[in-house]
Amino acid sequence: MAFELFGREGFDATTVDEIARGAGIGRRTFFRYFDSKNDVVWGSFGEQLERMREQFRRCPPDQPLMDAVRTVVVEFNRVDPAEVPWHRRRMELILRVPALQAHSTLRYADWRAVVAGFAAERLGSSPDALVPQALAYSTLGVALAAYEHWLSRPGAELCDVLDAALAELANGFTTT
Amino acid sequence: MAFELFGREGFDATTVDEIARGAGIGRRTFFRYFDSKNDVVWGSFGEQLERMREQFRRCPPDQPLMDAVRTVVVEFNRVDPAEVPWHRRRMELILRVPALQAHSTLRYADWRAVVAGFAAERLGSSPDALVPQALAYSTLGVALAAYEHWLSRPGAELCDVLDAALAELANGFTTT
DNA sequence: CTTCCATTTGACACCCAGTGCCATTAATCT
DNA sequence: AGATTAATGGCACTGGGTGTCAAATGGAAG
């Protein structure tokens, strides 16, 4: 897998030629499977998002908006304990390698669209109105902060950190 | 200026050679003034941030955290009316051209650090603790949503939109 | 003015990501 | 098998970004 190379040489130092050779395919073929080298670390994110949309659909209609968002985001990011070390390495790349950090912004847009869509529905407004967009943007932000926090403390439980951070958001960061 | 070229040909279609030739300098010299083509649209952002830090310093110590953040972010983004069209075009590039959208993420890190620093001070915690980071991340998110909203409605007043969006954040997006 | 020094510049040669083109090689169908 | 279609990968090219080095520039000091 290409991740061995990234782990060994670092993401930037690993060339597409190496990845392709490692996978036993031609360089040109690589670019038919992946739009860019960056996309290697983002598997089939689109399908994952469909899962999140589904989770939003399952939310009880009377559940307060931010409670629903919190639950879904936390559940969406729950991973099989066996996969945690793997997930950690992947997220380390995404959140710490500048090239990926930058590129990932483009992927986050779809994630935000799902959240904004749900919020808009609940608020009876358009998905691109100010409030749903601001809500989606800030939820994403909080999730990223939680991820970074999780990455830098080996012991932490991702879902707990996410839940705590989203609770703060729902409180408007009040210093009660 | 390079912005004419971006406006005429589009950002991606404008090559560094063209920019350099347009500025009457060599290509190599261009890369000595700018780390990348992307950086052209981000002038001296570092100095701007110093201004924001200063504004945070001026906040009355008894002002509630989120009120202070809101005021400072709004004021920080207030631009001379004469410069608005220019600012608009610059932000259009930053927020709509994928390459710049991605790259800008790296610049936002410094912006967030300023906000997180202030929040940490007020909360008596470390700047990289969860709450200051989450607060900074979500404030940035809300600001970006406000900017997008502003860009897509020619009539809107940036500061008003920012203020409204940040008020929502401070309320935890409650549907009162 | 000239000499000497340091800084700035830009030409040149690279590396690497990404793309268009096209011949070759599998699959697949009849 | 024979014909058709899709997948593959070689090749050449564009464009961003970097290292190297020689020439140009600009002061200061003599």
Side-chain angles (χ1 to χ4, degrees):
Chain A
M1 200 51 113
F3 283 79
E4 261 96 83
L5 291 172
F6 294 157
R8 189 142 23 93
E9 315 256 355
F11 180 81
D12 294 319
T14 306
T15 72
V16 171
D17 289 82
E18 290 174 319
I19 302 172
R21 198 166 10 249
I25 60 174
R27 164 202 176 69
R28 197 61 184 78
T29 305
F30 169 89
F31 279 113
R32 228 169 249 120
Y33 283 108
F34 299 98
D35 285 345
S36 74
K37 180 178 148 186
N38 298 319
D39 280 310
V40 174
V41 297
W42 284 93
S44 49
F45 192 52
E47 299 169 22
Q48 302 289 319
L49 288 183
E50 189 41 57
R51 224 186 74 223
M52 185 159 79
R53 243 185 298 264
E54 178 58 29
Q55 286 172 319
F56 272 127
R57 253 179 255 124
R58 285 195 216 288
C59 284
D62 58 320
Q63 189 177 29
L65 174 54
M66 288 306 284
D67 285 5
V69 169
R70 174 146 67 116
T71 326
V72 168
V73 171
V74 169
E75 287 315 309
F76 178 68
N77 285 282
R78 197 177 292 284
V79 299
D80 185 335
E83 308 255 344
V84 169
W86 160 267
H87 190 218
R88 237 192 154 82
R89 256 171 294 144
R90 206 173 71 92
M91 295 311 292
E92 244 158 27
L93 285 173
I94 290 178
L95 292 174
R96 304 233 231 245
V97 176
L100 291 172
Q101 212 178 322
H103 175 259
S104 301
T105 298
L106 306 175
R107 293 309 197 88
Y108 296 150
D110 298 332
W111 188 96
R112 285 196 328 258
V114 173
V115 177
F118 173 74
E121 199 182 298
R122 283 296 176 95
L123 296 168
S125 62
S126 156
D128 45 67
L130 182 59
V131 178
Q133 285 294 319
L135 187 150
Y137 253 116
S138 53
T139 305
L140 172 64
V142 166
L144 291 176
Y147 258 101
E148 277 181 9
H149 187 90
W150 172 65
L151 281 182
S152 56
R153 349 246 137 167
E157 268 289 344
L158 175 56
C159 289
D160 295 347
V161 182
L162 273 169
D163 195 66
L166 289 167
E168 291 288 339
L169 175 63
N171 280 334
F173 298 100
T174 49
T175 332
T176 44
Chain B
M1 201 49 113
F3 283 80
E4 261 95 86
L5 291 172
F6 294 157
R8 188 139 26 90
E9 315 257 356
F11 180 82
D12 294 320
T14 306
T15 73
V16 170
D17 290 81
E18 289 174 319
I19 302 173
R21 198 167 7 248
I25 60 174
R27 165 200 174 69
R28 196 61 184 77
T29 305
F30 170 89
F31 279 112
R32 229 169 246 122
Y33 282 106
F34 300 97
D35 285 345
S36 75
K37 180 178 148 186
N38 297 321
D39 280 310
V40 174
V41 297
W42 284 93
S44 49
F45 193 52
E47 298 170 23
Q48 302 289 317
L49 288 183
E50 188 41 56
R51 222 185 77 223
M52 184 159 79
R53 242 184 299 265
E54 178 59 28
Q55 284 171 321
F56 273 127
R57 253 179 255 124
R58 286 195 215 288
C59 285
D62 57 321
Q63 188 177 29
L65 175 54
M66 288 307 284
D67 286 4
V69 169
R70 174 147 66 114
T71 325
V72 167
V73 171
V74 169
E75 288 314 309
F76 178 67
N77 285 281
R78 197 178 292 283
V79 299
D80 185 336
E83 308 256 343
V84 168
W86 160 267
H87 190 219
R88 236 190 154 84
R89 257 171 294 144
R90 205 173 72 93
M91 295 312 291
E92 244 157 27
L93 286 173
I94 290 177
L95 292 174
R96 303 234 230 246
V97 175
L100 290 172
Q101 212 179 323
H103 175 259
S104 301
T105 298
L106 306 176
R107 293 312 197 87
Y108 296 150
D110 298 331
W111 189 96
R112 286 195 328 259
V114 174
V115 177
F118 173 74
E121 200 183 296
R122 282 296 176 94
L123 296 168
S125 62
S126 156
D128 44 67
L130 180 60
V131 177
Q133 285 294 318
L135 186 150
Y137 252 116
S138 54
T139 304
L140 172 64
V142 167
L144 291 176
Y147 258 102
E148 279 181 9
H149 187 90
W150 173 64
L151 281 182
S152 55
R153 349 245 139 168
E157 268 289 344
L158 176 56
C159 289
D160 295 347
V161 182
L162 273 168
D163 195 66
L166 289 167
E168 291 288 338
L169 175 63
N171 280 334
F173 298 99
T174 50
T175 332
T176 43

